Amino acid sequence: MSNIVRIIICSLLVVGTVALFWIGQWGWGILAILITILAWVTVFFNEKMLIAQWFLRKERMDKAEVWLKKINNYEKELITAQHGYYHMLLGMIESQRAPLQSEKYFKKALSMGLHMDHNVALAKLSLAGIAMAKRNKREAEKLLAEAKKADKNKLLEEQIKMMKSQMGMMDKQQFRYSR
């Protein structure tokens, strides 16, 4: 369902709620307020995205993918602030199957915009891992530095340290094979 249809339905719910209070149906009016609030929340936070994020937190990638696939046209169903997050979720799911193929989703998510710093850090950390897999150390170092800078709450500090240690091992391997 597109957002325009949701906004029309929510506006009708607001009018109906006001009418319920106007005619004196206070009990039904309070219930209508709760339903109206829930409907307005689905305008700004798509329920399919919320369910997919919940399954990702539970590490059920198959079910998260099913819910993301239910979004047929993300440009109509999601507000523009959610477009980047949609591609980031697709990238996270794709990185479980084929890590090198998920690069396009993370780049698109960053280009469309992610509003939370820890999500930007996660996308850049994932791109750094892909760059390491491609043996592009310079780009991986640049992305790791950007991820560390974006991770203001230190949520990904341990993963960044682990990635840096893997880059150190990559240097040792290159030195060993270059002889």
Side-chain angles (χ1 to χ4, degrees):
M1 180 182 329
S2 73
N3 269 340
I4 294 172
V5 174
R6 288 175 195 252
I7 290 172
I8 292 170
I9 290 172
C10 291
S11 299
L12 291 174
L13 283 172
V14 168
V15 170
T17 302
V18 170
L20 283 173
F21 280 114
W22 186 266
I23 62 174
Q25 297 290 326
W26 289 90
W28 288 109
I30 292 171
L31 179 65
I33 285 175
L34 296 174
I35 292 171
T36 303
I37 290 171
L38 183 66
W40 276 106
V41 165
T42 64
V43 169
F44 299 107
F45 302 104
N46 190 298
E47 70 276 359
K48 296 171 190 168
M49 286 276 290
L50 292 173
I51 293 170
Q53 288 174 352
W54 187 73
F55 279 122
L56 275 174
R57 285 191 184 111
K58 297 290 181 183
E59 296 181 8
R60 307 268 319 263
M61 299 294 180
D62 54 337
K63 292 204 176 203
E65 185 178 13
V66 167
W67 280 98
L68 281 177
K69 297 264 186 203
K70 288 183 181 182
I71 299 174
N72 297 327
N73 187 354
Y74 73 91
E75 292 172 341
K76 286 186 179 180
E77 290 185 39
L78 305 175
I79 61 174
T80 54
Q82 286 186 321
H83 291 182
Y85 291 101
Y86 173 74
H87 288 286
M88 186 170 154
L89 292 177
L90 285 175
M92 291 172 69
I93 290 171
E94 187 68 27
S95 68
Q96 296 295 316
R97 281 191 299 237
L100 297 178
Q101 301 298 321
S102 64
E103 180 179 17
K104 62 182 176 185
Y105 293 116
F106 288 120
K107 284 185 176 179
K108 193 162 187 179
L110 286 171
S111 69
M112 290 187 157
L114 299 170
H115 299 290
M116 296 182 159
D117 289 334
H118 63 273
N119 289 330
V120 172
L122 179 63
K124 290 190 179 196
L125 183 68
S126 298
L127 285 172
I130 294 168
M132 277 180 48
K134 290 181 174 180
R135 297 281 189 205
N136 191 346
K137 185 181 177 205
R138 186 172 296 155
E139 184 180 352
E141 285 176 342
K142 183 185 96 170
L143 287 167
L144 263 179
E146 291 174 4
K148 188 173 184 177
K149 183 179 173 186
D151 188 27
K152 294 177 181 161
N153 295 330
K154 307 294 183 210
L155 296 174
L156 298 170
E157 185 176 23
E158 191 173 311
Q159 286 86 352
I160 292 172
K161 284 181 183 177
M162 186 172 63
M163 187 84 67
K164 283 186 179 181
S165 69
Q166 288 176 353
M167 283 177 59
M169 287 190 282
M170 191 170 82
D171 286 340
K172 291 176 185 175
Q173 287 176 348
Q174 284 179 350
F175 179 72
R176 184 173 39 182
Y177 291 122
S178 65
R179 290 183 185 180

